[in-house]
Amino acid sequence: VATIAGMRCDGAALPWVILDSYHFTPTYQNAIRRAGCRLLVIDDIAHLARYDADIVLNHGVLAPRLDYADSGDAWLLLGSRYALLRRVFEPWRDFQRTIPKTAKNILLTLGGADAGNLTAKVMDALALLPDRVLDMQILAGPLTPHLEELRRRAAAAPNIQIHTDVTDPAPLMAWADIAIAAAGTTAWELAFMQTPMLLVVVAENQNDVAAGIAEFAAGQSLGRAEDIRLDDMAAALSQLLDDPERRQRMAERGKILVDGNGSARVLAAMQE
């Protein structure tokens, strides 16, 4: 705070500061504003009693239900219409998904670390569907500690491919008939790409994401990673593979949920 308080945001040198962490207290936020800066706070669980900011951004589906009442003069940008997507998704604005009668292509993406090796658990669940002809693409994050094990398992299964250091996942999301994904920011990208999804909660702050997307019918929540049983996961996937109407509904609802204009809306609010 002392460092921030000693900083001056004069002129156009540093007009905005953006905070995205659970560790920045209202006192810290106030110091930034007293230094003359505009402040945007990215939040997802309304964990503070108040927010001392010019703008509070929460792009969760359930964000409008959270209590930000004591945030003073802050503008509240709440809901998935403000979802921030990476620029790599810009060329896919006119993408129209084709829904096959029976799904076959499965994308598995479970975050940058997957310390609990949930990826292997999903692979075990798919092994419970031996009568299915499935192709699986796995996005393994850069911090995955079990990468060599996953590569060994994939080498024994010609229908499974592992990708690392992927900076543009949009083509794989477009390829997938169904995604099994962690309920983090990837969920907004999948919604935009109209990819039917089965979501796994791998962190406490993903509960509302999974619940909101399931409530909006853009995907299905499988619950917390540590509570998921292999046969339940296999059953959920098997049902969705054979339900084109439900997958069509997920795709349509996903595009409504995240239309790709969230960044522009946030920038427009900042400029105003």
Side-chain angles (χ1 to χ4, degrees):
V1 174
T3 301
I4 292 295
M7 177 184 69
R8 299 305 304 175
C9 296
D10 297 326
L14 186 59
W16 280 92
V17 173
I18 299 175
L19 300 181
D20 184 6
S21 171
Y22 299 118
H23 303 292
F24 297 118
T25 66
T27 301
Y28 189 95
Q29 296 169 15
N30 179 262
I32 292 176
R33 297 186 80 189
R34 284 192 290 106
C37 301
R38 295 286 190 184
L39 176 63
L40 186 153
V41 174
I42 298 176
D43 183 67
D44 56 6
I45 56 175
H47 65 292
L48 296 176
R50 68 182 303 273
Y51 291 79
D52 194 340
D54 293 278
I55 293 176
V56 174
L57 168 63
N58 183 336
H59 57 207
V61 183
L62 303 181
R65 304 180 190 175
L66 298 179
D67 185 9
Y68 291 100
D70 294 327
S71 295
D73 60 348
W75 284 19
L76 304 178
L77 306 184
L78 308 179
S80 61
R81 67 192 308 266
Y82 299 105
L84 305 177
L85 298 181
R86 290 175 282 172
R87 289 183 177 179
V88 295
F89 290 95
E90 182 67 28
W92 296 87
R93 285 185 175 277
D94 297 324
F95 173 65
Q96 294 295 323
R97 176 167 295 279
T98 300
I99 303 294
K101 182 177 180 180
T102 302
K104 176 177 179 283
N105 298 333
I106 310 299
L107 176 64
L108 180 56
T109 170
L110 293 168
D114 190 17
N117 205 8
L118 181 59
T119 299
K121 188 174 182 179
V122 175
M123 295 170 75
D124 290 339
L126 265 65
L128 299 178
L129 305 173
D131 57 326
R132 297 285 189 173
V133 179
L134 302 175
D135 288 328
M136 175 181 284
Q137 305 282 346
I138 298 175
L139 287 180
L143 302 179
T144 301
H146 309 284
L147 185 57
E148 291 308 313
E149 175 193 345
L150 297 176
R151 283 177 170 156
R152 286 195 298 269
R153 296 184 59 160
N159 62 325
I160 298 178
Q161 287 186 299
I162 294 180
H163 305 268
T164 58
D165 300 321
V166 174
T167 58
D168 181 4
L172 284 172
M173 292 180 177
W175 166 87
D177 299 321
I178 296 172
I180 302 173
T185 55
T186 300
W188 310 124
E189 299 170 350
L190 290 168
F192 174 76
M193 294 299 296
Q194 307 155 56
T195 309
M197 60 184 114
L198 299 174
L199 295 176
V200 180
V201 176
V202 300
E204 194 66 30
N205 62 351
Q206 295 181 0
N207 282 309
D208 284 354
V209 176
I213 288 178
E215 182 178 317
F216 200 74
Q220 176 182 342
S221 174
L222 298 178
R224 298 172 60 88
E226 59 269 29
D227 299 331
I228 297 175
R229 294 172 41 181
L230 294 184
D231 53 348
D232 290 338
M233 183 184 297
L237 177 60
S238 182
Q239 292 169 8
L240 194 55
L241 289 169
D242 293 327
D243 195 339
E245 290 80 12
R246 187 167 177 231
R247 283 184 277 114
Q248 180 71 50
R249 185 165 60 253
M250 285 182 176
E252 293 171 349
R253 298 292 282 176
K255 189 62 173 180
I256 294 172
L257 196 64
V258 181
D259 63 7
N261 296 315
S263 297
R265 293 187 179 104
V266 174
L267 287 172
M270 294 170 73
Q271 289 166 354
E272 185 172 343

